[in-house]
Amino acid sequence: MQDFLLLLIVGLVGGFLAGLIGIGGGVMYILVLPYLLLNMGFPQAEIVQYTIANSLFGTTFAALSGNVALLKRREFYWREVLLIGAFGAICSLLVLFLLVNTEFYQRDQFNLIVIFIMLFIAVRTLMESRKPAGGSLEKKASPFGLGVIGAAAGSVSALSGLGGGTVIIPILNSGLKMPMHKAKSISLGVIFITSFALSILNLLETPMTDYSNQNTGYIVWPLALAISLGVIVGSPFGVIVGRKLSNRVISYIFVLFVLVVIADKAFQLI
């Protein structure tokens, strides 16, 4: 019961962050899941694969819940979401199949990639929070340009268990001068597509160690379902709160979580 409540809380916080910031709940999941999985007895040799798979499963529901809220508000951008999402799904599946779900991709490689991504996010977020709102006109992106964004986002998603919004939002907001609320909306839509595709592949995978009857492929059902339940509640609430807070306040909240993840992954490398 204690474990279920903890997972429910993880889902609530992850879902809230997904709706608030638009990058999925993976920041919370990749912090907590390795410890929970090890405590459940899953093998250290595949803890990265289980972490990424279950983080993406929770992220799928976080993004879905946030998208439902955005659809109700008529703030969903179909063209951009479908173009970026299609390329993101294809590239993420290739990276997951050819690299991540192999013996090569272990804890140290995973932690180094997560630290690099988190540092980039923290610096970019703080820099953007200091810029005045408004300014330049939004630039029109070509289908090819949107595809490149999707390919980069999908690769990051597969390698880290994060949603891919870490790539999508800065490019759309800073590069294409897109309003932040629109960039977040597109990010959530793309995250759902890529995370859903990756979750299907992870369900079909065969772990190297047949350890438990609690999982299908790399998806561990007690973890995944408890997190998803919390996410369904937390994500729409995050969307609502995000519309009431300033970008600067949201940025500081997010950077706090990012710094905790960096410290945790750096400690594991020692």
Side-chain angles (χ1 to χ4, degrees), residues 118-151:
M118 292 289 101
L119 284 171
F120 169 78
I121 294 171
V123 172
R124 189 205 70 83
T125 302
L126 290 174
M127 289 176 62
E128 288 299 316
S129 71
R130 298 176 182 276
K131 291 183 180 179
S136 305
L137 294 174
E138 180 180 338
K139 298 178 182 178
K140 181 74 172 178
S142 67
F144 176 77
L146 294 175
V148 171
I149 296 171

Side-chain angles (χ1 to χ4, degrees), residues 3-4 6-7 32-44 47 50 54 211-215 218-227:
D3 288 344
F4 180 82
L6 176 59
L7 289 168
V32 177
L33 285 179
Y35 298 104
L36 291 174
L37 287 161
L38 287 172
N39 187 57
M40 293 173 71
F42 283 87
Q44 175 74 54
I47 213 67
Y50 280 107
N54 289 278
Y211 170 78
S212 170
N213 61 2
Q214 295 178 300
N215 60 291
Y218 284 114
I219 304 299
V220 182
W221 292 112
L223 290 177
L225 294 178
I227 288 174

Side-chain angles (χ1 to χ4, degrees), residues 7 15 29 37 47 54 56 74 111-112 115 117 131 164 166-168 193 195 219 230-231 263 268:
L7 289 168
Y29 306 147
L37 287 161
I47 213 67
N54 289 278
L56 290 169
R74 297 184 179 180
N111 287 339
L112 282 170
I115 289 170
I117 294 171
K131 291 183 180 179
T166 53
V167 172
I168 298 168
I193 294 173
S195 297
I219 304 299
V231 156
Q268 291 181 35

Side-chain angles (χ1 to χ4, degrees), residues 2 6 8 21 71 80 86 89 109 126 131 138 156 170 199 216 218 235 253:
Q2 256 186 334
L6 176 59
L8 188 63
I21 302 158
L71 283 166
E80 292 86 351
Q109 290 89 344
L126 290 174
K131 291 183 180 179
E138 180 180 338
V156 166
S199 294
T216 303
Y218 284 114
S235 186
I253 293 171

Side-chain angles (χ1 to χ4, degrees), residues 86-134:
F87 281 88
I90 293 169
C91 288
S92 64
L93 289 171
L94 288 172
V95 171
L96 190 75
F97 182 74
L98 298 174
L99 176 61
V100 175
N101 287 354
T102 67
E103 293 182 4
F104 168 77
Y105 201 65
Q106 295 296 315
R107 189 183 72 169
D108 286 352
Q109 290 89 344
F110 171 71
N111 287 339
L112 282 170
I113 285 175
V114 168
I115 289 170
F116 176 79
I117 294 171
M118 292 289 101
L119 284 171
F120 169 78
I121 294 171
V123 172
R124 189 205 70 83
T125 302
L126 290 174
M127 289 176 62
E128 288 299 316
S129 71
R130 298 176 182 276
K131 291 183 180 179

